[in-house]
Amino acid sequence: MEGSVLKTLTHRVTVACLLLFLSACSIQDTRQPESTATVTPAAELLPPASELEADRPLGPPVDLWDRIRRQLVMHTLHNARIGAAREHYLKQSRYFELIEPRAARYLYHLVEEVEARDMPIEIAMLPLVESALNPFAISNQSAAGLWQIMPGTADYLGMRRDWWFDARLDIRESTTHALDYLESLNADFDGDWLLALAAYNSGKGRVNRAITRNKNKGLATDYWSLELPRETRRYVPRLIALSTIVAFSEALEVALPDVPNTPSFAAIETGGQIEMLRAAELAGVDLIELRSFNPGQLRWATAPQGDGKILVPVSVADPLERALSELPDSERVTWQHYRIRRGDSLIRIAKNFDTQVGLLREVNNLRGNLIRAGDTLMIPDSAAWQASLALSQRGSTGVRRGYTVRSGDSLYVIAQRFDITIDEIISWNDLDPDRYLQPGQALTLFLGGD
């Protein structure tokens, strides 16, 4: 017993020394040019695993973070850039608290998919860097979803994007395509995951050009030696910093939220197009919760084409699938096609079909009131369209709000004031975090999204 306690104390002291060592390395590395940045492996400073675990055999993971922690491979890497990235997260005292609801919904699926491909488990945490685990996140440059996939990349990967559905926002489809892309990049860079991650952020061509420049100068061609955009120089260190924080959360006094090591959602068959509100009612869940699992569904009803599945909380999956299989056509979305006549207006057509102009605009993708004789309008025939339309337009990203930077504001101050993360503010506004905010600067925030 005494020996076990002594070993535990020795381990904690050693970890504390390791972290002090990492801090010292951070100070030393700042004096070096970035092109000569080195990575300090610190694994030898830890007691051998056999000594640590001799009296403490590993059982099942306590939670999802524990499952991740056991598989980390980048957590012992360190240099000045990684140290700065670690401080970026540590100074956000509520960072993990704020992402807890999203981690509970999405992180298990990410871990499962990454493990199935035998990729470094850190890849499952990449959406924390990309979007703070917000599948509704859309940057000012139109990168979207958990994995922040650009429209051009989505087209290259063959991802569906139309009026009804955006695969970049869909939890399963975006993850599948992002991991496919990362595996492809890893192969292109001969198994170097750091270069693959850099290419995911800034583009394969940009990384290859940086490698060519260094080769022509007789310089090293590893990630740390390349001249890359500022965002990409921060990108990989942030993922490694998260790995370090999860690995040494206790020593760093970071309280990781409880995230169950169990699936949070299941995919079920809808049996045809259905209003999201009707599905929520049958499931006994709030529409906003249902939408949080189905961010790729862009409209008030499920997409008419596709695999015919939606994601729902595990607890309601079986009864909801049974209810949907028994749902009569009269309670599903059906359509009438109306050929516009001379003299028609949206107001007159809406009145004739007991609907609203706003719904006609919504389902026919009309921006104004202009319609032309001879064109055809799609008119949904369903019972609860008014409530469905109103609620679907609320979304799950939160209320969009403009904010004007005040004197004394910083990213940290604004994040604390509105219970959001610094990374979210940066993503929503395409900010350079190394530049100070200016009084009068306009920002866009999405509040109350969880």
Short mmCIF file of all heavy atoms in Angstrom, two decimals, residues 383-430:
data_model
loop_
_atom_site.label_atom_id
_atom_site.label_comp_id
_atom_site.label_asym_id
_atom_site.label_seq_id
_atom_site.Cartn_x
_atom_site.Cartn_y
_atom_site.Cartn_z
N ALA A 383 -49.82 19.39 -42.33
CA ALA A 383 -50.68 19.95 -41.29
C ALA A 383 -50.01 21.04 -40.46
O ALA A 383 -50.67 21.97 -40.01
CB ALA A 383 -51.16 18.83 -40.37
N ALA A 384 -48.72 20.92 -40.22
CA ALA A 384 -48.10 21.81 -39.22
C ALA A 384 -47.03 22.70 -39.83
O ALA A 384 -46.07 23.06 -39.19
CB ALA A 384 -47.48 20.97 -38.11
N TRP A 385 -47.24 23.09 -41.10
CA TRP A 385 -46.19 23.81 -41.80
C TRP A 385 -45.86 25.15 -41.17
O TRP A 385 -44.73 25.60 -41.19
CB TRP A 385 -46.56 24.00 -43.27
CG TRP A 385 -47.85 24.72 -43.52
CD1 TRP A 385 -49.06 24.15 -43.75
CD2 TRP A 385 -48.07 26.13 -43.53
NE1 TRP A 385 -50.01 25.11 -43.92
CE2 TRP A 385 -49.44 26.36 -43.78
CE3 TRP A 385 -47.25 27.25 -43.35
CZ2 TRP A 385 -49.99 27.62 -43.86
CZ3 TRP A 385 -47.80 28.51 -43.43
CH2 TRP A 385 -49.16 28.69 -43.68
N GLN A 386 -46.85 25.85 -40.58
CA GLN A 386 -46.56 27.16 -40.02
C GLN A 386 -45.57 27.06 -38.87
O GLN A 386 -44.57 27.79 -38.82
CB GLN A 386 -47.85 27.82 -39.54
CG GLN A 386 -48.74 28.30 -40.69
CD GLN A 386 -50.05 28.87 -40.17
OE1 GLN A 386 -50.77 28.21 -39.42
NE2 GLN A 386 -50.35 30.07 -40.56
N ALA A 387 -45.84 26.15 -37.92
CA ALA A 387 -44.93 25.99 -36.79
C ALA A 387 -43.58 25.45 -37.25
O ALA A 387 -42.53 25.86 -36.76
CB ALA A 387 -45.55 25.05 -35.76
N SER A 388 -43.61 24.53 -38.21
CA SER A 388 -42.36 23.95 -38.71
C SER A 388 -41.47 25.01 -39.32
O SER A 388 -40.27 25.07 -39.07
CB SER A 388 -42.65 22.88 -39.76
OG SER A 388 -43.27 21.76 -39.19
N LEU A 389 -42.05 25.88 -40.14
CA LEU A 389 -41.28 26.90 -40.81
C LEU A 389 -40.69 27.87 -39.80
O LEU A 389 -39.51 28.21 -39.83
CB LEU A 389 -42.14 27.65 -41.82
CG LEU A 389 -41.45 28.79 -42.59
CD1 LEU A 389 -40.28 28.24 -43.38
CD2 LEU A 389 -42.44 29.50 -43.50
N ALA A 390 -41.52 28.31 -38.85
CA ALA A 390 -41.04 29.28 -37.86
C ALA A 390 -39.92 28.71 -37.02
O ALA A 390 -38.90 29.36 -36.78
CB ALA A 390 -42.20 29.72 -36.96
N LEU A 391 -40.07 27.45 -36.57
CA LEU A 391 -39.07 26.87 -35.70
C LEU A 391 -37.81 26.51 -36.46
O LEU A 391 -36.70 26.64 -35.94
CB LEU A 391 -39.64 25.63 -35.01
CG LEU A 391 -40.62 25.93 -33.86
CD1 LEU A 391 -41.28 24.65 -33.40
CD2 LEU A 391 -39.91 26.60 -32.70
N SER A 392 -37.95 26.06 -37.70
CA SER A 392 -36.76 25.68 -38.46
C SER A 392 -35.87 26.88 -38.72
O SER A 392 -34.66 26.77 -38.80
CB SER A 392 -37.15 25.03 -39.79
OG SER A 392 -37.71 25.97 -40.68
N GLN A 393 -36.48 28.05 -38.84
CA GLN A 393 -35.70 29.25 -39.11
C GLN A 393 -34.94 29.73 -37.89
O GLN A 393 -34.04 30.55 -37.98
CB GLN A 393 -36.63 30.36 -39.64
CG GLN A 393 -37.16 30.05 -41.03
CD GLN A 393 -38.21 31.05 -41.48
OE1 GLN A 393 -38.86 31.72 -40.69
NE2 GLN A 393 -38.38 31.14 -42.79
N ARG A 394 -35.28 29.19 -36.70
CA ARG A 394 -34.54 29.56 -35.50
C ARG A 394 -33.16 28.94 -35.48
O ARG A 394 -32.21 29.49 -34.93
CB ARG A 394 -35.30 29.12 -34.24
CG ARG A 394 -36.47 29.99 -33.89
CD ARG A 394 -37.33 29.35 -32.83
NE ARG A 394 -36.57 28.96 -31.66
CZ ARG A 394 -37.08 28.24 -30.66
NH1 ARG A 394 -38.32 27.81 -30.73
NH2 ARG A 394 -36.34 27.92 -29.62
N GLY A 395 -33.05 27.73 -36.08
CA GLY A 395 -31.76 27.08 -36.16
C GLY A 395 -31.22 26.66 -34.81
O GLY A 395 -31.90 26.70 -33.79
N SER A 396 -29.95 26.24 -34.80
CA SER A 396 -29.29 25.82 -33.56
C SER A 396 -27.96 26.52 -33.38
O SER A 396 -27.20 26.20 -32.49
CB SER A 396 -29.07 24.31 -33.58
OG SER A 396 -30.29 23.62 -33.59
N THR A 397 -27.65 27.46 -34.27
CA THR A 397 -26.39 28.16 -34.14
C THR A 397 -26.48 29.25 -33.09
O THR A 397 -25.48 29.83 -32.71
CB THR A 397 -25.99 28.83 -35.47
OG1 THR A 397 -27.05 29.67 -35.89
CG2 THR A 397 -25.72 27.80 -36.52
N GLY A 398 -27.67 29.55 -32.60
CA GLY A 398 -27.84 30.66 -31.68
C GLY A 398 -28.31 31.90 -32.42
O GLY A 398 -28.38 31.93 -33.65
N VAL A 399 -28.61 32.91 -31.67
CA VAL A 399 -29.10 34.16 -32.25
C VAL A 399 -27.92 34.97 -32.78
O VAL A 399 -26.94 35.21 -32.09
CB VAL A 399 -29.85 34.98 -31.18
CG1 VAL A 399 -30.29 36.32 -31.76
CG2 VAL A 399 -31.05 34.20 -30.65
N ARG A 400 -28.01 35.36 -34.04
CA ARG A 400 -26.96 36.18 -34.65
C ARG A 400 -27.01 37.58 -34.07
O ARG A 400 -28.08 38.20 -34.03
CB ARG A 400 -27.13 36.22 -36.17
CG ARG A 400 -26.06 37.00 -36.90
CD ARG A 400 -26.41 37.13 -38.37
NE ARG A 400 -25.40 37.87 -39.10
CZ ARG A 400 -24.51 37.32 -39.90
NH1 ARG A 400 -24.49 36.02 -40.07
NH2 ARG A 400 -23.62 38.07 -40.54
N ARG A 401 -25.88 38.07 -33.62
CA ARG A 401 -25.84 39.39 -33.01
C ARG A 401 -24.60 40.13 -33.45
O ARG A 401 -23.50 39.58 -33.48
CB ARG A 401 -25.84 39.27 -31.48
CG ARG A 401 -25.52 40.58 -30.78
CD ARG A 401 -25.59 40.48 -29.29
NE ARG A 401 -25.10 41.72 -28.67
CZ ARG A 401 -25.26 42.02 -27.39
NH1 ARG A 401 -25.89 41.20 -26.60
NH2 ARG A 401 -24.78 43.14 -26.91
N GLY A 402 -24.79 41.38 -33.81
CA GLY A 402 -23.65 42.23 -34.12
C GLY A 402 -23.10 42.82 -32.83
O GLY A 402 -23.85 43.11 -31.89
N TYR A 403 -21.79 42.94 -32.76
CA TYR A 403 -21.16 43.52 -31.58
C TYR A 403 -20.07 44.48 -32.03
O TYR A 403 -19.26 44.17 -32.90
CB TYR A 403 -20.55 42.42 -30.70
CG TYR A 403 -19.86 42.97 -29.47
CD1 TYR A 403 -20.60 43.37 -28.36
CD2 TYR A 403 -18.48 43.11 -29.44
CE1 TYR A 403 -19.97 43.88 -27.23
CE2 TYR A 403 -17.84 43.63 -28.31
CZ TYR A 403 -18.59 44.01 -27.22
OH TYR A 403 -17.96 44.53 -26.11
N THR A 404 -20.06 45.66 -31.42
CA THR A 404 -19.05 46.66 -31.72
C THR A 404 -18.01 46.67 -30.61
O THR A 404 -18.36 46.81 -29.43
CB THR A 404 -19.68 48.05 -31.86
OG1 THR A 404 -20.67 48.03 -32.90
CG2 THR A 404 -18.62 49.09 -32.21
N VAL A 405 -16.77 46.49 -30.98
CA VAL A 405 -15.68 46.41 -30.01
C VAL A 405 -15.56 47.74 -29.26
O VAL A 405 -15.57 48.82 -29.86
CB VAL A 405 -14.36 46.07 -30.71
CG1 VAL A 405 -13.20 46.08 -29.72
CG2 VAL A 405 -14.47 44.71 -31.40
N ARG A 406 -15.43 47.62 -27.94
CA ARG A 406 -15.29 48.80 -27.08
C ARG A 406 -13.85 48.95 -26.63
O ARG A 406 -13.05 48.02 -26.69
CB ARG A 406 -16.19 48.66 -25.85
CG ARG A 406 -17.64 48.33 -26.14
CD ARG A 406 -18.35 47.95 -24.86
NE ARG A 406 -19.70 47.44 -25.11
CZ ARG A 406 -20.47 46.86 -24.20
NH1 ARG A 406 -20.01 46.71 -22.96
NH2 ARG A 406 -21.68 46.42 -24.51
N SER A 407 -13.54 50.11 -26.12
CA SER A 407 -12.21 50.34 -25.57
C SER A 407 -11.98 49.38 -24.40
O SER A 407 -12.84 49.23 -23.53
CB SER A 407 -12.10 51.79 -25.08
OG SER A 407 -10.83 52.02 -24.50
N GLY A 408 -10.84 48.72 -24.41
CA GLY A 408 -10.52 47.77 -23.34
C GLY A 408 -10.94 46.35 -23.65
O GLY A 408 -10.61 45.42 -22.90
N ASP A 409 -11.69 46.14 -24.75
CA ASP A 409 -12.11 44.79 -25.13
C ASP A 409 -10.92 43.98 -25.65
O ASP A 409 -9.98 44.51 -26.24
CB ASP A 409 -13.17 44.84 -26.23
CG ASP A 409 -14.58 44.94 -25.67
OD1 ASP A 409 -14.76 44.72 -24.46
OD2 ASP A 409 -15.50 45.25 -26.46
N SER A 410 -11.00 42.69 -25.45
CA SER A 410 -10.08 41.72 -26.06
C SER A 410 -10.89 40.48 -26.39
O SER A 410 -12.05 40.35 -25.98
CB SER A 410 -8.95 41.36 -25.08
OG SER A 410 -9.48 40.66 -23.96
N LEU A 411 -10.29 39.58 -27.15
CA LEU A 411 -10.99 38.33 -27.44
C LEU A 411 -11.39 37.61 -26.16
O LEU A 411 -12.49 37.07 -26.04
CB LEU A 411 -10.11 37.42 -28.30
CG LEU A 411 -9.87 37.87 -29.75
CD1 LEU A 411 -8.82 36.99 -30.41
CD2 LEU A 411 -11.17 37.84 -30.55
N TYR A 412 -10.49 37.62 -25.18
CA TYR A 412 -10.76 36.94 -23.91
C TYR A 412 -11.93 37.60 -23.19
O TYR A 412 -12.85 36.92 -22.70
CB TYR A 412 -9.51 36.97 -23.04
CG TYR A 412 -9.73 36.37 -21.67
CD1 TYR A 412 -9.74 34.99 -21.49
CD2 TYR A 412 -9.92 37.18 -20.55
CE1 TYR A 412 -9.94 34.43 -20.25
CE2 TYR A 412 -10.13 36.62 -19.30
CZ TYR A 412 -10.13 35.25 -19.15
OH TYR A 412 -10.34 34.70 -17.91
N VAL A 413 -11.93 38.93 -23.14
CA VAL A 413 -13.00 39.66 -22.43
C VAL A 413 -14.35 39.40 -23.09
O VAL A 413 -15.36 39.14 -22.41
CB VAL A 413 -12.68 41.17 -22.41
CG1 VAL A 413 -13.90 41.97 -21.96
CG2 VAL A 413 -11.50 41.45 -21.50
N ILE A 414 -14.41 39.46 -24.42
CA ILE A 414 -15.68 39.25 -25.13
C ILE A 414 -16.15 37.81 -24.96
O ILE A 414 -17.34 37.55 -24.75
CB ILE A 414 -15.51 39.60 -26.62
CG1 ILE A 414 -15.18 41.09 -26.78
CG2 ILE A 414 -16.79 39.27 -27.40
CD1 ILE A 414 -14.80 41.49 -28.19
N ALA A 415 -15.23 36.85 -25.04
CA ALA A 415 -15.60 35.44 -24.86
C ALA A 415 -16.18 35.21 -23.47
O ALA A 415 -17.20 34.52 -23.32
CB ALA A 415 -14.38 34.55 -25.08
N GLN A 416 -15.56 35.79 -22.45
CA GLN A 416 -16.07 35.62 -21.08
C GLN A 416 -17.44 36.29 -20.91
O GLN A 416 -18.32 35.75 -20.26
CB GLN A 416 -15.08 36.24 -20.08
CG GLN A 416 -13.77 35.48 -19.96
CD GLN A 416 -13.95 34.14 -19.28
OE1 GLN A 416 -13.99 33.10 -19.93
NE2 GLN A 416 -14.06 34.12 -17.97
N ARG A 417 -17.61 37.45 -21.53
CA ARG A 417 -18.86 38.20 -21.37
C ARG A 417 -20.04 37.45 -21.95
O ARG A 417 -21.14 37.45 -21.38
CB ARG A 417 -18.72 39.56 -22.05
CG ARG A 417 -19.96 40.47 -21.92
CD ARG A 417 -19.72 41.80 -22.62
NE ARG A 417 -18.58 42.48 -22.04
CZ ARG A 417 -17.78 43.32 -22.72
NH1 ARG A 417 -17.98 43.51 -24.01
NH2 ARG A 417 -16.77 43.91 -22.13
N PHE A 418 -19.84 36.75 -23.08
CA PHE A 418 -20.97 36.12 -23.77
C PHE A 418 -20.97 34.59 -23.67
O PHE A 418 -21.75 33.93 -24.35
CB PHE A 418 -20.97 36.54 -25.24
CG PHE A 418 -21.26 38.00 -25.46
CD1 PHE A 418 -20.25 38.88 -25.81
CD2 PHE A 418 -22.55 38.49 -25.27
CE1 PHE A 418 -20.52 40.23 -26.00
CE2 PHE A 418 -22.83 39.84 -25.46
CZ PHE A 418 -21.80 40.71 -25.82
N ASP A 419 -20.11 34.02 -22.82
CA ASP A 419 -20.07 32.56 -22.64
C ASP A 419 -19.84 31.83 -23.95
O ASP A 419 -20.54 30.87 -24.30
CB ASP A 419 -21.36 32.05 -21.99
CG ASP A 419 -21.31 32.12 -20.48
OD1 ASP A 419 -20.22 32.39 -19.95
OD2 ASP A 419 -22.34 31.92 -19.84
N ILE A 420 -18.85 32.29 -24.70
CA ILE A 420 -18.44 31.63 -25.93
C ILE A 420 -16.93 31.45 -25.87
O ILE A 420 -16.28 31.89 -24.91
CB ILE A 420 -18.85 32.44 -27.19
CG1 ILE A 420 -18.35 33.89 -27.06
CG2 ILE A 420 -20.35 32.41 -27.38
CD1 ILE A 420 -18.72 34.78 -28.23
N THR A 421 -16.35 30.78 -26.85
CA THR A 421 -14.91 30.57 -26.83
C THR A 421 -14.22 31.56 -27.75
O THR A 421 -14.81 32.08 -28.71
CB THR A 421 -14.54 29.14 -27.26
OG1 THR A 421 -14.79 28.98 -28.67
CG2 THR A 421 -15.34 28.10 -26.48
N ILE A 422 -12.94 31.79 -27.46
CA ILE A 422 -12.14 32.67 -28.31
C ILE A 422 -12.08 32.12 -29.73
O ILE A 422 -12.18 32.87 -30.72
CB ILE A 422 -10.71 32.82 -27.72
CG1 ILE A 422 -10.76 33.65 -26.43
CG2 ILE A 422 -9.78 33.46 -28.74
CD1 ILE A 422 -9.43 33.75 -25.72
N ASP A 423 -11.93 30.81 -29.85
CA ASP A 423 -11.86 30.20 -31.18
C ASP A 423 -13.13 30.42 -31.99
O ASP A 423 -13.08 30.57 -33.21
CB ASP A 423 -11.58 28.70 -31.07
CG ASP A 423 -10.15 28.41 -30.62
OD1 ASP A 423 -9.34 29.35 -30.64
OD2 ASP A 423 -9.86 27.27 -30.24
N GLU A 424 -14.29 30.45 -31.32
CA GLU A 424 -15.53 30.71 -32.03
C GLU A 424 -15.55 32.13 -32.58
O GLU A 424 -15.94 32.36 -33.73
CB GLU A 424 -16.73 30.48 -31.10
CG GLU A 424 -17.00 29.01 -30.83
CD GLU A 424 -18.15 28.80 -29.86
OE1 GLU A 424 -18.21 29.51 -28.83
OE2 GLU A 424 -18.98 27.92 -30.11
N ILE A 425 -15.13 33.10 -31.78
CA ILE A 425 -15.10 34.49 -32.25
C ILE A 425 -14.16 34.61 -33.45
O ILE A 425 -14.48 35.26 -34.45
CB ILE A 425 -14.64 35.44 -31.13
CG1 ILE A 425 -15.57 35.33 -29.91
CG2 ILE A 425 -14.62 36.89 -31.63
CD1 ILE A 425 -15.09 36.12 -28.71
N ILE A 426 -13.00 33.96 -33.35
CA ILE A 426 -12.03 34.00 -34.45
C ILE A 426 -12.63 33.38 -35.71
O ILE A 426 -12.51 33.93 -36.81
CB ILE A 426 -10.74 33.28 -34.04
CG1 ILE A 426 -10.02 34.06 -32.93
CG2 ILE A 426 -9.81 33.09 -35.24
CD1 ILE A 426 -8.86 33.31 -32.31
N SER A 427 -13.29 32.21 -35.55
CA SER A 427 -13.85 31.52 -36.71
C SER A 427 -14.98 32.30 -37.34
O SER A 427 -15.04 32.43 -38.58
CB SER A 427 -14.36 30.13 -36.27
OG SER A 427 -15.02 29.48 -37.33
N TRP A 428 -15.89 32.83 -36.53
CA TRP A 428 -17.04 33.57 -37.07
C TRP A 428 -16.62 34.82 -37.82
O TRP A 428 -17.33 35.27 -38.71
CB TRP A 428 -17.97 33.97 -35.94
CG TRP A 428 -18.66 32.83 -35.27
CD1 TRP A 428 -18.95 31.60 -35.81
CD2 TRP A 428 -19.13 32.77 -33.92
NE1 TRP A 428 -19.57 30.80 -34.88
CE2 TRP A 428 -19.71 31.49 -33.72
CE3 TRP A 428 -19.14 33.68 -32.86
CZ2 TRP A 428 -20.26 31.11 -32.51
CZ3 TRP A 428 -19.69 33.30 -31.66
CH2 TRP A 428 -20.24 32.03 -31.47
N ASN A 429 -15.46 35.39 -37.47
CA ASN A 429 -15.08 36.69 -38.03
C ASN A 429 -13.77 36.66 -38.80
O ASN A 429 -13.29 37.71 -39.23
CB ASN A 429 -14.98 37.71 -36.90
CG ASN A 429 -16.31 37.95 -36.22
OD1 ASN A 429 -17.14 38.72 -36.68
ND2 ASN A 429 -16.54 37.25 -35.10
N ASP A 430 -13.19 35.45 -38.99
CA ASP A 430 -11.91 35.32 -39.70
C ASP A 430 -10.87 36.30 -39.18
O ASP A 430 -10.24 37.05 -39.94
CB ASP A 430 -12.11 35.54 -41.21
CG ASP A 430 -12.81 34.36 -41.87
OD1 ASP A 430 -12.62 33.23 -41.40
OD2 ASP A 430 -13.56 34.59 -42.83
#
